[in-house]
Amino acid sequence: MSEDKNALGYAKLAPKTPVPSDIEVSQQIVKEVGLLPVADVAKQVGLKDDEVIPWGIAKAKIPLKARDSRKDLPDGNYVVVTGINPTPLGEGKSTTTIGLAQALGAVLGKPTIACIRQPSQGPTFGIKGGAAGGGYAQVVPMEEFNLHLTGDIHAVTAANNLLAAAIDTRMFHECSQSDEALYKRLCPEGKGFSPVMKRRLKKLGIDATKKPADLTAEERSAFARLDIDPDTITWQRVLDTCDRHLREVQVGIGAKETVKAKGGDGRIQHCRKSGFDITVASEVMAVLALARDLADLREKLGAMVIGYSRAGKPITADDLGCGGALAVLMKDAIMPTLMQTVERTPVLVHAGPFANIATGNSSVVADEIALKLVGQDGFCVTEAGFGADIGMEKFFNIKCRYSGLKPKCAVIVATVRALKMHGGGPPVSAGKPLSKEYTEENVELVTKGAANLVKHIENAKKFGVNVVVAVNQFKNDTPAEIEAVKKASMDAGAYDAVLSNHWAKGGEGAADLAAAVVKACNDNDAANFKFLYDVNKTIKEKIEIISKEIYGADGVEFADLANKQIEQYEKSGFGNLPICIAKTQYSFSCDASAKGVPTGFNITVREIRSCAGAGFLYPICGEIMTVPGLPTRPGFYDVDVDLETGDVIGLF
Amino acid sequence: MSEDKNALGYAKLAPKTPVPSDIEVSQQIVKEVGLLPVADVAKQVGLKDDEVIPWGIAKAKIPLKARDSRKDLPDGNYVVVTGINPTPLGEGKSTTTIGLAQALGAVLGKPTIACIRQPSQGPTFGIKGGAAGGGYAQVVPMEEFNLHLTGDIHAVTAANNLLAAAIDTRMFHECSQSDEALYKRLCPEGKGFSPVMKRRLKKLGIDATKKPADLTAEERSAFARLDIDPDTITWQRVLDTCDRHLREVQVGIGAKETVKAKGGDGRIQHCRKSGFDITVASEVMAVLALARDLADLREKLGAMVIGYSRAGKPITADDLGCGGALAVLMKDAIMPTLMQTVERTPVLVHAGPFANIATGNSSVVADEIALKLVGQDGFCVTEAGFGADIGMEKFFNIKCRYSGLKPKCAVIVATVRALKMHGGGPPVSAGKPLSKEYTEENVELVTKGAANLVKHIENAKKFGVNVVVAVNQFKNDTPAEIEAVKKASMDAGAYDAVLSNHWAKGGEGAADLAAAVVKACNDNDAANFKFLYDVNKTIKEKIEIISKEIYGADGVEFADLANKQIEQYEKSGFGNLPICIAKTQYSFSCDASAKGVPTGFNITVREIRSCAGAGFLYPICGEIMTVPGLPTRPGFYDVDVDLETGDVIGLF
């Protein structure tokens, strides 16, 4: 192979210095180098023509048969990329995920697929900007990645909000109709029970082979009246928009949303206080990330609990007659989207559940497809959101539990900057210049802060994986500082610790990291992988294990509400679900300002919410914001269309 | 060509009797006959490979260069399909549009493209069901057509709601910040004015070549403070969901949405009463339907007026810094989607603005592309929503005015059923069995009701087109009844009147209709086409012309609010926009129950709203509902996934 080609036979990347903005890099690659037709990206990993559905500009969806038809083939090596507790600027987990995959594929020539989350579109127009990686380690075209993609998040919005409409509408109709009237409308003459109705009959213990006319009056009432207690409704509406004024709203205040007062002549406004979340916070997104196939997706969506009846029984999407329609709305969304990196290596983008209230990991099915496609000697590099105390723990204990997949290696991304912060450096915040502690050499701060990294390494090792530390290089980092990180890592039992400069140099910059990851995988047996806890322990025991073992807490305090909910969940049969703790990513503890390795603290569980359909409980430990706001000058001020070329400008 | 092939060389349609449900017909075609690969559908009309972007299952987007590269070629024949005032069951306009296109293409062998609207997804799960046509005259696969399509409506939702968030957020920030603080945040040091900011500078008469630091204090205040009067805000949020409880909502009631009280210590809740519409009611959708290209889309989106400042100046999306971002969100949506009929003829699906508050017509660009692709001897069959008094009038006076395209022929769809209703038959309503007047022969009712059709024929002829009446056949229609419709049509000056049975027989069933349309086009010169009014007349004059000439009203009454708004629009420079009257489709008048040809009535204009970006004013004449509700047993109860086959079931 000639010098100017990479291991895949394509022209080698020619990075510019200084590195242009992300959108400039992306558009330069598209225009000067050219994208690989998505069908050819697919061919790289052995996909057949009928396993690729082209879906818009430089994107394709991969049907699940790509996995199922290879079910007897061995899986590739499963690598998760995670990070230390970050600064608000981020430490480059996505960029490292992409850079590592470029190095494995385009430099080392190993069959490799990167699996990443679809970013929420809302924040793209706020302060966050794009999420395709960055510099010379990104997915291209970045505007296609960041905007709409193949519509999966829009499908989640549609599904979530159909269920929301069904809830309020059903309560509205139940208000004004007798049980018999409700039943007659639900089961009009000549129409039998539909499949979703049979699910409810089964749940109620009513013979589902009966015809609607054959139910007793008691059975009709039980079937027709859900009797939802409005105070228990946890289902919110969603939008993929940073619209803070929707966080809490009063719905149903229109003149037509009134019902006849019982036993009176007047009409009562059928309104209630509710709220919106950003779409990626929807349980539908969590379901998408954890579903194994269309049938499992259907079951999980139908099993989502929206609240409880006045008698304390969980009310599901299927009880509302919605589960099938939700699955139909999500039937395309269950297929991951294939794109490519700046070095033409394949990327599967799929699902993007919130990293606090949900798992923060991309989908099970994307990883499964990737592992089959890359084959025994290949690599699936997947990313876990937030710091390793949250994202990685959930990756292992929830995602891997549901998938049955066994990772061999965890890459923990660290930066000198973040370690200095953990060592006692002044606060770091977006939009403000960095203090001199961060721009000048300060080995002492690094060494002190490395304790945070050390704890994450120790945590990862509890799951039986080899740990490779990736020091994500920034321009002010000095050799002595980097050496300090490496030494601390190796002392803590990391398999290796490697400097990586993929942002500026692409795959070449991550070649050493890739070599270390290959070695770490070859040197581990997937059978070593183990969970931290047995799901059959009590809810409290599971929360305590995570809090003590991963966060280093002394113990856990449960508020009254949480205790009440635990009781309700155990009664409802949700007691053996895994735990998905919602807390800050900025610290091991629940206090975002507690840097390094805090000790002597308790975890306080204010309440515990359920994602009974997706399959986890999420204790709320701290304030969780599910609709970001917009600043006075949001990112959208810079976004425009170049009317000459049609190019998108100003995305970042 | 052998007997068992159609004019395009494909296997002839083999319709079943009785006609199965729409989804069964669609799935039977897909499974037994097979779809044509979308690339081959494109080749039928001469599209080159790089003019087709495959976009999901059996769909492709067609970039506008397919039109632009053919700009010197002659247009095909332009045919609009419209209808009489319908019953609530619908008279089959979409089905006739598709059936006629099948007949022209697959039976007569004429290059033909049908152009139809993308249906709103929300009502698909309510009582309406699908909108792909029906029976053997439909677009396939119908579930692909009805669900998500290629994401255009989702893009409209995203764009509309980004602007909504920008409005409330800006008011929130303006509440708590001085002009100087606002200005500093909008123009942070080191950052120049962005393109969208320069638009606002230009509007304010400030030299846009100045740097942010060079503006005077007065200019800074004018630039930074929009001072939106909350009572004037007409911009609503949207969702493509039938969620009646969102019709009116109180937003901003969360604990974080408070601002410091001026001159006090307390905090004030930053909330207001607002509401949601269904997405297709968004002005963004109206813009999509009327935009000529990406540049025009950008201008129109930026020019959308969301309300007025306290000083009475219109506030636009560009004033809020959003116009560019909205265009970026809509950059793919401006490309029409190519699909196929059951007879493999091409269909362009694009845009779906509400037919009352907007134009109710598919996009200008889809028709333009179609007319170039079919060429001089070919046909573009496009559909106008609602009855001809609304949809056709708006098609001619608004859509054709903006496109400059000249239709030659209007097909007016009539049914014996609807004419009987207009002739005095009892009310027809969905879900209730038809009275015997509709199931037994009654020529007298038909003859009497034909007056409604006659008035529509006369109206259409005012625009200089030839009129072909399509009698859409239903099983109870008798030869004498059909003859009565034909006679009334010919007496009224129709070019022809033809029975059509495309629903049961596909293109073969509409062959006579197609032949009549070919003849009607050959026999007319596009140059004969003319508008009903000059846009430079006053707003009142234009409304009066439409009301008298099309509806047959004696005159128009304007409420105080409408008078005030007329003054404001004329002051704001919107006086010369065309008029898009929002009224019932069930009658020529504003009273839905006034059947036939009502006389001796006035049109009452309660208020007049503006779509200054899309380019029309819409007088409100009657109650307009912009979020449908859901019944007790919505359509979603039947929708599910067949877990064996993965098929969608229960859509209708």
Side-chain angles (χ1 to χ4, degrees), chain B residues 292-546:
Chain B
R292 299 290 302 271
D293 50 36
L294 190 60
D296 188 36
L297 181 83
R298 169 68 188 86
E299 293 305 318
K300 284 182 156 67
L301 291 172
M304 294 186 306
V305 172
I306 60 92
Y308 289 79
S309 71
R310 286 192 170 85
K313 300 275 181 229
I315 303 293
T316 65
D318 273 342
D319 287 327
L320 283 152
C322 263
L326 303 187
V328 166
L329 283 167
M330 295 294 292
K331 77 176 178 59
D332 295 337
I334 199 171
M335 296 184 280
T337 297
L338 179 69
M339 290 189 72
Q340 63 193 286
T341 67
V342 290
E343 296 186 72
R344 297 180 161 190
T345 65
V347 178
L348 285 177
V349 190
H350 203 211
F354 245 42
N356 42 20
I357 63 167
T359 54
N361 286 278
S362 64
S363 79
V364 162
V365 295
D367 288 3
E368 286 178 337
I369 291 173
L371 286 165
K372 289 299 179 199
L373 288 177
V374 298
Q376 200 156 10
D377 299 324
F379 293 83
C380 165
V381 182
T382 196
E383 184 196 354
F386 274 15
D389 52 324
I390 307 181
M392 181 187 70
E393 183 272 315
K394 293 175 182 179
F395 170 77
F396 289 142
N397 280 323
I398 304 178
K399 184 176 173 185
C400 292
R401 198 184 299 264
Y402 280 115
S403 69
L405 298 173
K406 293 178 186 301
K408 285 182 174 177
C409 172
V411 174
I412 300 183
V413 179
T415 61
V416 166
R417 177 177 70 196
L419 292 179
K420 285 177 170 176
M421 176 191 72
H422 285 297
V428 173
S429 54
K432 288 192 186 143
L434 287 170
S435 320
K436 71 168 174 25
E437 283 83 351
Y438 299 102
T439 54
E440 294 171 6
E441 180 170 283
N442 191 328
V443 178
E444 195 192 331
L445 277 185
V446 176
T447 307
K448 221 173 133 200
N452 182 271
L453 170 60
V454 166
K455 170 78 176 146
H456 287 297
I457 295 170
E458 290 165 357
N459 285 348
K461 292 188 65 165
K462 294 182 185 179
F463 295 89
V465 297
N466 278 339
V467 177
V468 174
V469 172
V471 187
N472 187 17
Q473 187 168 10
F474 281 63
K475 69 172 194 284
N476 293 323
D477 300 351
T478 69
E481 289 173 335
I482 289 161
E483 203 43 50
V485 186
K486 287 189 186 177
K487 183 172 184 309
S489 303
M490 299 309 287
D491 289 350
Y495 185 85
D496 207 345
V498 189
L499 183 67
S500 195
N501 193 11
H502 39 274
W503 180 78
K505 297 188 177 168
E508 288 287 355
D512 292 346
L513 175 63
V517 166
V518 172
K519 209 153 160 273
C521 287
N522 289 342
D523 235 16
N524 194 10
D525 188 329
N528 290 331
F529 174 70
K530 55 183 177 287
F531 303 122
L532 189 70
Y533 57 81
D534 174 355
V535 276
N536 294 314
K537 288 188 182 288
T538 67
I539 294 171
K540 285 195 174 178
E541 284 170 336
K542 288 179 280 192
I543 296 173
E544 276 161 5
I545 290 172
I546 296 168

Side-chain angles (χ1 to χ4, degrees), chain A residues 499-514:
Chain A
L499 183 67
S500 195
N501 194 10
H502 39 273
W503 181 78
K505 297 187 176 167
E508 287 287 355
D512 292 347
L513 174 63

Side-chain angles (χ1 to χ4, degrees), chain A residues 410-428:
Chain A
V411 174
I412 300 183
V413 179
T415 60
V416 166
R417 178 177 69 195
L419 292 178
K420 284 177 170 177
M421 177 192 70
H422 285 296
V428 173

Side-chain angles (χ1 to χ4, degrees), chain A residues 287 290-292 295-304 402 613-614:
Chain A
V287 166
L290 292 173
R292 298 290 302 269
D296 189 36
L297 181 83
R298 168 67 188 87
E299 293 304 320
K300 285 182 155 67
L301 291 171
M304 296 186 305
Y402 280 114

